[in-house]
Amino acid sequence: DLSNKQISFGSQTNMGCGSSKKTNDPQKKEEEEAGLEYDEDVGDEEFIDEGKGNKNAYNKKTGEAETRDATERSEKKPEDDMFEFEEAGGGEQMLAVLPYKGAIKEPTSHPDINPAAPDVDYSLEYCYGYRCADSRQNCFYNAEGKVVYMSAALGIVLDPETNTQKFFGGGQTGSSSKHAAAKTAINQHTDDILALAVCPERKLVVTGQVGSVPILYVWDSTTCEKVCQAKLPKGTRGITAVSFSVDGKYFACSDLHNDHNVYCYDATNGNLIFKDKGGPDRIFDIAWSRKPGDCRFVSAGIKHVKFWMPMEKECKKGLFMRKGKMTSFASATFDDEGNAYLGAANGQIYKFVERSLEKTVKEHKGVVHSINFVGDKLYAGGADNKITVYGKDFGKVAEYEVGAIPRSIDFKDDKMLVGLRNGCINEYDAEGNLKRTLMESHSEGEVWGLDVVGDKVLTSADDNYVMVWDWKNRKLVKKSIVNSVAGEKVKYGASTLSKHPDNQCSRAVAFNAFNQHVAIATNKGEVQIRTSVDELDSVVKTLNDPTRWIETMSYSPDGVYLAVGSHDTAIYVYDVNHEYDLVGKCSKHNASITSFDWSTDTSYIRSNCAAYELLFFKIPACEQDTEGATNTVDTEWVTQSNKLGWNVEGVFPSGCDGTHVNGVAASTAMDLIATGDDWGLVNVFRNPVRDGHKSVSLRGHSEHVVRVKFSEDDSYLFSVGGYDQTMMQWKKIQLFYQLS
């Protein structure tokens, strides 16, 4: 029984795996005697990048791409003033380049000013997403046959029969940063969940997130109620893998510290049993022995195979016995006899008996990303988009083509559950025939494009897809490729994690209610006009005037014009009824266009850019009105997309700069204003939002919330989370208070 013992392998000089540097290391001597050789095949580019843990990110202050640690999280430093004052030209524009109180004119008509949070709440109804890019073995059946997986900062339980979801996490929260929230007992994840496991009885789930102080939660797979939690030490950065013991009493995990520490916890109370250094390289997977009474687990990673025996306070490296080469390992599992199986970067599966390699088989081309032993069969999924099935004699009994890389495999009651690298979760029968797709989602780079069309939602992303969602029935109804032919990488394109070139990435989409056209913008700067939502593959025309990537785009309220805001600092206005001829270019901004609004009579556009300018343009002349703040005080606006303006001055939390808020939207009734921010929050305010006003804040996303949008009847609010590649559907609940 380990529950009352805390073992630190690092303090045991003869037992630690990660701390010994002596040349007479007995394990190193064993390796040399066993003839350890290294395989030069270390996996594909995506697998190698995953091991390095880097990502490309867009620096909103500099406007340039930069390489960052994928788990980097930093608090914004509070400053005395949100914006730095700069001198500007004459007229009102001297002040309009700064969202200062004196620079913005109060409109003649607006709702009553009320600093209180609105009398509404929002419940998370559905989440469209599945984390598939940098996680594995994270999708399982629970004891009732429902599907457990994760996306963003949510643990999700999906009922396939009713297509409804329960969540561990999500919902209304305080309007604080996710880092600050992580320091309090809020009983939910606040950042990206990287690892998930279900206990052998399928009743408990453990999930672990990234963060400077990573948190693990154990929760009920049916009710989503918390059982216990554990926090890793500060600076460990994230949890890469988790696994339950065969009896469900313990779980083990690994972190993203430079020492890649390995931990064991009591699953009933979250108490730490032991901790030790795993080694200098990343650990991708952990698996406990399935043999009853066998309290061992294996860790697998970059040139890393180690067997951990907590009862004996031992950790030993795997021995290859001249039967296979050392390589990197992406996945691991055990059978019920205590034999370990590891999926390798070279396409082979390694079988270890005790800790010695007995045999290898090679059925896959590329990395074996997922592996699971269920019942009397071993299931393995490779980079060749295939699943192979083996019997207990390690002989292949079946092979299935599944169309994308299998990142997770589970089997229960003659049903096989597969999480795929393309964002899908599929269910197959025992013969490998596809029964149904349970989830579809974006799966590359970031999701930015968002528009609502009646009972449909349009999204576009860096994965070369535009997707159409039926939000009433909670399912994907159509998707279309952005560009079938890959173009060249452009010099000033948007930074992205996507493998696709700029012409196959889209971050803006717009719908014209008058002629049903759908406009799709690319990160190359082109705009494709598609015939309709129903004929989304039909291209009417392609516009090529913008020279850099497009962040914002919308049709005028009468459907006559299409305006396109580019990172080349201009807004391009097109005449829809004359084959999208270019009417003019609004070109007075000094930085990338981030948002704009149309007036209800289509006579004005007001716009924001990355230099915090608020400018006004007359349409169709596309001429700047330098006195626009005064001249438009009586103007009604059809949207509120700008984050700089009189009625949105209070959307920025104290101490945050102007980059903190990414997306803004007003309700159709213009009584509410929603924002998406860098803390992963969706915030809903009363309109107008003045300094110090309160919001209803909603947590569920794990990354910057880049866009928010209300349904046409204001009954729902939709949000997309950038790097978490997730769209969330929030149902409005009107609150009524009885006066005493």
Side-chain angles (χ1 to χ4, degrees):
D1 182 8
L2 298 178
S3 59
N4 294 318
K5 300 177 182 179
Q6 181 167 321
I7 307 165
S8 177
F9 287 168
S11 64
Q12 308 289 330
T13 56
N14 295 323
M15 299 177 185
C17 281
S19 56
S20 176
K21 296 183 180 179
K22 297 180 180 180
T23 56
N24 61 348
D25 183 348
Q27 292 194 30
K28 185 174 182 180
K29 186 177 180 181
E30 282 184 297
E31 292 170 359
E32 293 172 350
E33 291 175 352
L36 181 64
E37 297 181 58
Y38 286 87
D39 197 327
E40 294 181 358
D41 186 353
V42 292
D44 55 34
E45 183 178 355
E46 183 175 65
F47 180 71
I48 293 170
D49 287 343
E50 186 182 350
K52 293 178 180 177
N54 292 329
K55 71 177 182 182
N56 292 323
Y58 175 66
N59 187 317
K60 293 187 287 183
K61 292 183 178 179
T62 65
E64 301 294 333
E66 60 187 25
T67 300
R68 299 178 186 167
D69 188 294
T71 62
E72 178 183 319
R73 299 293 187 271
S74 61
E75 291 281 2
K76 292 187 177 296
K77 182 180 178 181
E79 304 291 344
D80 293 335
D81 292 313
M82 188 178 299
F83 302 95
E84 181 181 351
F85 184 82
E86 297 176 1
E87 294 295 333
E92 289 178 348
Q93 293 307 113
M94 178 181 68
L95 295 174
V97 295
L98 301 169
Y100 243 67
K101 292 183 178 181
I104 300 170
K105 301 297 182 182
E106 179 178 355
T108 302
S109 177
H110 56 76
D112 292 339
I113 297 175
N114 187 340
D119 295 334
V120 296
D121 195 0
Y122 287 85
S123 64
L124 181 58
E125 184 175 82
Y126 208 82
C127 173
Y128 305 85
Y130 163 58
R131 191 173 190 106
C132 59
D134 55 0
S135 180
R136 50 191 47 78
Q137 282 309 119
N138 57 11
C139 186
F140 299 90
Y141 290 111
N142 69 5
E144 296 180 343
K146 297 175 182 176
V147 179
V148 180
Y149 61 103
M150 84 275 199
S151 187
L154 300 171
I156 303 172
V157 179
L158 170 67
D159 186 335
E161 306 308 319
T162 62
N163 191 26
T164 56
Q165 296 174 336
K166 289 183 178 180
F167 305 100
F168 178 76
Q172 189 169 336
T173 186
S175 57
S176 61
S177 77
K178 53 190 173 184
H179 315 283
K183 299 175 184 177
T184 63
I186 63 170
N187 297 326
Q188 63 175 290
H189 289 289
T190 58
D191 217 320
D192 296 278
I193 300 176
L194 291 184
L196 178 149
V198 172
C199 76
E201 291 187 349
R202 301 182 182 271
K203 294 181 179 180
L204 296 177
V205 185
V206 60
T207 44
Q209 71 173 62
V210 301
S212 61
V213 183
I215 304 176
L216 298 118
Y217 288 101
V218 177
W219 45 280
D220 188 284
S221 69
T222 301
T223 66
C224 294
E225 293 179 356
K226 172 187 162 183
V227 175
C228 66
Q229 74 178 61
K231 287 186 179 182
L232 270 61
K234 185 175 182 180
T236 47
R237 299 165 53 197
I239 296 157
T240 61
V242 289
S243 180
F244 276 102
S245 61
V246 67
D247 56 10
K249 292 182 179 180
Y250 311 106
F251 65 86
C253 70
S254 56
D255 69 22
L256 278 169
H257 189 273
N258 291 342
D259 293 326
H260 301 91
N261 301 294
V262 174
Y263 307 77
C264 180
Y265 289 92
D266 187 318
T268 63
N269 55 29
N271 290 339
L272 178 65
I273 303 299
F274 71 79
K275 166 193 171 185
D276 189 30
K277 296 177 181 179
D281 297 307
R282 180 165 178 162
I283 295 172
F284 286 118
D285 204 4
I286 287 178
W288 286 78
S289 172
R290 305 284 179 85
K291 182 179 179 180
D294 187 3
C295 193
R296 293 182 302 140
F297 63 87
V298 65
S299 55
I302 298 176
K303 297 181 180 179
H304 171 107
V305 181
K306 292 183 178 179
F307 290 86
W308 305 79
M309 293 143 286
M311 294 295 288
E312 291 80 20
K313 304 180 184 179
E314 288 185 348
C315 165
K316 295 184 177 181
K317 296 179 181 179
L319 299 177
F320 287 76
M321 310 303 292
R322 300 182 186 274
K323 295 181 178 180
K325 294 181 178 181
M326 166 61 97
T327 183
S328 294
F329 296 91
S331 53
T333 190
F334 272 87
D335 63 22
D336 56 9
E337 295 178 356
N339 302 312
Y341 302 83
L342 276 66
N346 59 15
Q348 298 183 40
I349 300 172
Y350 289 52
K351 179 181 179 180
F352 287 84
V353 177
E354 295 300 329
R355 65 184 182 101
S356 298
L357 181 62
E358 180 184 82
K359 184 180 181 181
T360 67
V361 296
K362 182 176 175 63
E363 299 289 349
H364 291 281
K365 295 179 180 179
V367 182
V368 180
H369 284 282
S370 54
I371 193 166
N372 196 6
F373 204 101
V374 185
D376 59 353
K377 291 184 175 62
L378 177 70
Y379 300 82
D384 53 5
N385 302 342
K386 294 179 181 179
I387 292 176
T388 51
V389 186
Y390 304 86
K392 276 202 169 183
D393 61 353
F394 212 11
K396 187 172 78 170
V397 297
E399 180 179 280
Y400 310 128
E401 170 67 47
V402 292
I405 297 173
R407 300 290 294 205
S408 182
I409 305 171
D410 194 21
F411 200 93
K412 184 180 186 294
D413 298 333
D414 295 325
K415 295 182 293 184
M416 182 168 62
L417 185 69
V418 181
L420 296 172
R421 177 62 184 85
N422 64 3
C424 292
I425 299 175
N426 288 345
E427 190 173 68
Y428 301 82
D429 63 20
E431 285 72 44
N433 300 307
L434 178 63
K435 292 179 60 181
R436 53 187 172 180
T437 296
L438 303 178
M439 175 55 60
E440 295 182 77
S441 64
H442 290 288
S443 59
E444 289 275 352
E446 299 186 50
V447 181
W448 281 49
L450 178 67
D451 202 4
V452 179
V453 184
D455 60 355
K456 305 293 191 298
V457 177
L458 303 177
T459 58
S460 66
D462 295 342
D463 61 355
N464 200 23
Y465 280 110
V466 176
M467 295 189 175
V468 183
W469 312 89
D470 179 342
W471 59 264
K472 289 186 176 180
N473 293 300
R474 303 178 298 280
K475 64 179 181 180
L476 181 76
V477 293
K478 195 171 189 64
K479 66 180 180 179
S480 180
I481 291 174
V482 175
N483 264 311
S484 58
V485 179
E488 296 181 355
K489 193 76 174 175
V490 301
K491 185 175 181 181
Y492 296 104
S495 64
T496 178
L497 289 172
S498 175
K499 64 184 179 183
H500 295 286
D502 299 86
N503 75 318
Q504 293 183 325
C505 299
S506 172
R507 294 191 175 180
V509 62
F511 175 75
N512 190 336
F514 289 86
N515 64 3
Q516 308 304 305
H517 284 178
V518 177
I520 301 168
T522 75
N523 288 359
K524 183 182 177 182
E526 67 182 7
V527 179
Q528 296 179 15
I529 309 300
R530 305 290 177 95
T531 301
S532 66
V533 171
D534 293 331
E535 298 180 75
L536 200 57
D537 294 332
S538 173
V539 179
V540 175
K541 189 169 184 176
T542 300
L543 312 174
N544 293 297
D545 299 287
T547 59
R548 295 204 184 171
W549 71 279
I550 295 160
E551 183 173 338
T552 181
M553 176 174 64
S554 70
Y555 284 94
S556 61
D558 57 7
V560 172
Y561 301 110
L562 171 67
V564 178
S566 170
H567 273 232
D568 64 11
T569 76
I571 300 172
Y572 298 81
V573 181
Y574 297 92
D575 188 334
V576 173
N577 296 327
H578 291 83
E579 299 183 345
Y580 286 87
D581 287 342
L582 181 64
V583 174
K585 185 168 70 169
C586 307
S587 56
K588 294 298 182 179
H589 275 288
N590 290 301
S592 307
I593 308 301
T594 57
S595 63
F596 63 82
D597 296 308
W598 284 98
S599 63
T600 55
D601 62 2
T602 316
S603 65
Y604 268 98
I605 284 177
R606 61 182 182 188
S607 51
N608 290 169
C609 73
Y612 307 117
E613 296 171 343
L614 170 61
L615 304 185
F616 297 83
F617 297 93
K618 295 179 179 179
I619 304 299
C622 297
E623 296 176 349
Q624 182 189 7
D625 182 354
T626 57
E627 304 297 324
T630 295
N631 293 338
T632 61
V633 292
D634 294 323
T635 300
E636 292 185 3
W637 302 92
V638 70
T639 56
Q640 176 62 63
S641 301
N642 292 329
K643 62 184 178 182
L644 309 178
W646 181 86
N647 62 328
V648 289
E649 280 190 281
V651 299
F652 301 96
S654 176
C656 293
D657 66 17
T659 67
H660 176 76
V661 173
N662 305 301
V664 179
S667 61
T668 304
M670 285 290 176
D671 59 334
L672 299 174
I673 289 178
T675 69
D677 68 26
D678 280 359
W679 288 339
L681 296 177
V682 176
N683 308 286
V684 183
F685 299 85
R686 297 178 191 268
N687 182 22
V689 191
R690 307 297 293 155
D691 290 340
H693 283 203
K694 304 297 183 182
S695 69
V696 171
S697 295
L698 310 171
R699 188 179 297 282
H701 286 288
S702 56
E703 292 283 356
H704 303 345
V705 179
V706 293
R707 293 290 179 266
V708 290
K709 192 91 172 180
F710 288 90
S711 63
E712 292 177 358
D713 63 359
D714 291 337
S715 61
Y716 282 84
L717 177 61
F718 303 92
S719 57
V720 290
Y723 277 124
D724 69 27
Q725 300 167 355
T726 298
M727 182 178 79
M728 296 189 187
Q729 179 171 317
W730 305 89
K731 184 177 181 179
K732 181 180 179 182
I733 301 171
Q734 194 74 43
L735 302 180
F736 297 96
Y737 296 96
Q738 185 174 13
L739 296 176
S740 58

